[in-house]
Amino acid sequence: AQSVTQLGSHVSVSEGALVLLRCNYSSSVPPYLFWYVQYPNQGLQLLLKYTTGATLVKGINGFEAEFKKSETSFHLTKPSAHMSDAAEYFCAVSGSNQGGKLIFGQGTELSVKP
Amino acid sequence: EPEVTQTPSHQVTQMGQEVILRCVPISNHLYFYWYRQILGQKVEFLVSFYNNEISEKSEIFDDQFSVERPDGSNFTLKIRSTKLEDSAMYFCASSNGQLEAFFGQGTRLTVV
């Protein structure tokens, strides 16, 4: 069985500040981990993913995440927030190599203050 | 860039009516999925479809739901008799089996 916990349903940062969105997972098999972003009234867009290999993965829009097996975490970071980063962010886990069936966390709404 | 397209973007239906949500997956993809997101809640897996049959379904996907790939390009989700609690955003996704699923923009279903 797999599950994802995102700590903090809402995070607010100032423009230019560090963004840190937390994600912890549980998986009985080696996990594949994903971060998706959802802008208002839009679909889900893949930010980045971890499958195997390098544990620090870089994604679009300056985001990156680090897979820490010992901590079962996959936190999302961005050094400097931009107003356009305001959105809902979802962490997801998959245990298969077929993409698709994803187990999502509850989501974290990111607000960016000017 | 290829994308998953869903129609309609918004559907309003009366309780008890049947609805069909339509999706056109990316053309060379073989795995298809439906997810739903009730307002303010997380995205939930409904069903996966491969080789013209359901490969996995969640407990949400009861007898009121069905999926079909009628013509080799469309992938549909049918809800036979809608309930108020079926109101949600429904996302279609497709994958070529290489880890990344591509999502459509979603269909917002409102049951009144």
Side-chain angles (χ1 to χ4, degrees), chain A residues 36-83:
Chain A
Y36 281 85
V37 61
Q38 183 181 34
Y39 297 101
N41 300 314
Q42 294 192 26
L44 297 165
Q45 181 182 8
L46 181 68
L47 270 180
L48 49 78
K49 64 186 179 194
Y50 167 79
T51 55
T52 58
T55 56
L56 180 64
V57 292
K58 296 184 185 300
I60 61 172
N61 302 337
F63 284 93
E64 61 183 39
E66 187 170 11
F67 170 60
K68 292 187 176 180
K69 184 178 178 180
S70 61
E71 299 176 10
T72 61
S73 69
F74 190 58
H75 301 330
L76 181 71
T77 59
K78 181 174 180 177
S80 176
H82 192 272
M83 297 295 291

Side-chain angles (χ1 to χ4, degrees), chain A:
Chain A
Q2 297 172 306
S3 66
V4 174
T5 301
Q6 291 182 241
L7 296 174
S9 59
H10 187 230
V11 170
S12 182
V13 300
S14 297
E15 193 172 19
L18 171 71
V19 175
L20 171 60
L21 304 183
R22 299 178 187 274
C23 172
N24 288 88
Y25 71 90
S26 171
S27 179
S28 56
V29 298
Y32 300 115
L33 295 157
F34 306 80
W35 276 99
Y36 281 85
V37 61
Q38 183 181 34
Y39 297 101
N41 300 314
Q42 294 192 26
L44 297 165
Q45 181 182 8
L46 181 68
L47 270 180
L48 49 78
K49 64 186 179 194
Y50 167 79
T51 55
T52 58
T55 56
L56 180 64
V57 292
K58 296 184 185 300
I60 61 172
N61 302 337
F63 284 93
E64 61 183 39
E66 187 170 11
F67 170 60
K68 292 187 176 180
K69 184 178 178 180
S70 61
E71 299 176 10
T72 61
S73 69
F74 190 58
H75 301 330
L76 181 71
T77 59
K78 181 174 180 177
S80 176
H82 192 272
M83 297 295 291
S84 61
D85 294 327
E88 186 94 18
Y89 292 80
F90 292 94
C91 181
V93 65
S94 170
S96 74
N97 63 353
Q98 296 175 358
K101 189 205 168 175
L102 297 161
I103 305 300
F104 284 87
Q106 294 282 74
T108 297
E109 183 180 356
L110 175 67
S111 301
V112 182
K113 299 174 291 189

Side-chain angles (χ1 to χ4, degrees), chain B residues 2-14:
Chain B
E3 60 180 15
V4 176
T5 57
Q6 291 185 243
T7 55
S9 56
H10 190 192
Q11 172 97 42
V12 181
T13 188
Q14 291 208 322

Side-chain angles (χ1 to χ4, degrees), chain B residues 32-51:
Chain B
F32 313 112
Y33 310 84
W34 283 101
Y35 290 80
R36 80 171 184 191
Q37 182 183 29
I38 295 172
L39 187 64
Q41 298 186 25
K42 66 179 176 181
V43 178
E44 302 172 289
F45 169 78
L46 290 179
V47 65
S48 57
F49 191 86
Y50 170 72
N51 200 24

